[in-house]
Amino acid sequence: MKTLLESNIKRVLERINKAAERSGRNFKDILLVAVTKNVPPEVIRKAYEYGLRNFGENRAQELRKKYEELKDLGITWHFIGRIQTNKVRYFVPICEYVHSVWREEEVAEISKRAGRIGKIQRVLVEVNVFGEETKAGLKPEEVEDFLKKCEKYENVFFEGLMTMAPYVENPEEVRWGFRKLRELRDYLMKRYFKNAGIKELSMGMSNDFEVAVEEGATMVRIGTAIFRR
Ligand SMILES: *Cc1c(COP(=O)(O)O)cnc(C)c1O
């Protein structure tokens, strides 16, 4: 018999696939990052057994704990939460991607810590496209200058952009924001930066990932739709 977790995963993958088809995209170009905040390691292990490989955490210490417990698996970890500079040293050695970078001091610290272990850290710039006062991220019009300013940090590489939409009943209401992030990506992709190749679009969560995929998401960050019980 299928467990709920297994059928949730299957269902989410099917929905990503359908959304990709609707918009003439290839399913393979969309990476599912399973968000594991408040999910215990043994459940993450199950999700891995069901085929997931990319997992995202939004707290540095929790990430480190789970990393230690699940070291025997080939997990690709993503840090997706607010960055505290004094915690950067916890996630840099572990993470393939950091999705939520938007302050220069964070970039400086990430680059320093990555340099110490001989790593180039892949990062995404968090953009507050929806203009919410309380949300993290740069304004869209600030991103280009930010990238220029950050060219001096040699141990980071800017792979793309990330955003978080507000929760709305009908995800169609946030489509414009995802489109705006894609347009910004398309613009920045044609600019030259020493340490950036802006191609990834990390957008879409449980409530709105299909709309995000239709608008070009290359990474979706999904928690509840996978791990709900
Ligand atoms: C929690 C979280 C998600 C996943 O949200 P769900 O609605 O549970 O899918 C995605 N991105 C970030 C940054 C998060 O903190």
Side-chain angles (χ1 to χ4, degrees), residues 7 22 32 36 44 52 70 73 78 88 98 121-122 136 154 156-157 169 171 176 193 205 207 217 227:
S7 52
R22 277 199 296 280
L32 171 58
T36 54
I44 302 176
L52 298 188
L70 299 166
L73 307 176
H78 299 244
V88 164
V98 181
Q121 179 68 59
R122 299 168 189 264
E154 293 178 352
V156 295
F157 192 83
E169 281 288 313
W176 67 270
F193 306 97
M205 312 197 296
N207 186 51
F227 294 110

Side-chain angles (χ1 to χ4, degrees), residues 25 143-144 147 159-161 178-193 197-201 203 215-218:
R25 302 186 58 210
V143 179
E144 186 172 4
L147 289 170
E159 297 276 356
L161 309 175
F178 294 145
R179 185 172 302 160
K180 190 163 166 176
L181 196 70
R182 189 222 317 145
E183 286 165 0
L184 181 61
R185 190 272 317 263
D186 293 347
Y187 169 78
L188 293 169
M189 212 156 52
K190 296 189 207 110
R191 307 269 132 186
Y192 172 79
F193 306 97
I198 300 292
K199 56 180 194 298
E200 304 290 348
L201 279 177
M203 56 190 197
E215 293 301 329
T218 62

Side-chain angles (χ1 to χ4, degrees), residues 12-13 15-21 23-33 54 200-201 203 209-210 212-214 216-222:
V12 165
L13 289 169
R15 287 170 63 191
I16 293 171
N17 192 30
K18 284 257 156 54
E21 276 178 2
S23 48
R25 302 186 58 210
N26 192 336
F27 173 73
K28 291 201 199 72
D29 296 333
I30 300 140
L31 184 73
L32 171 58
V33 179
N54 287 265
E200 304 290 348
L201 279 177
M203 56 190 197
F209 69 88
E210 286 151 308
V213 167
E214 287 169 11
T218 62
M219 296 171 163
V220 288
R221 310 177 311 271
I222 301 177

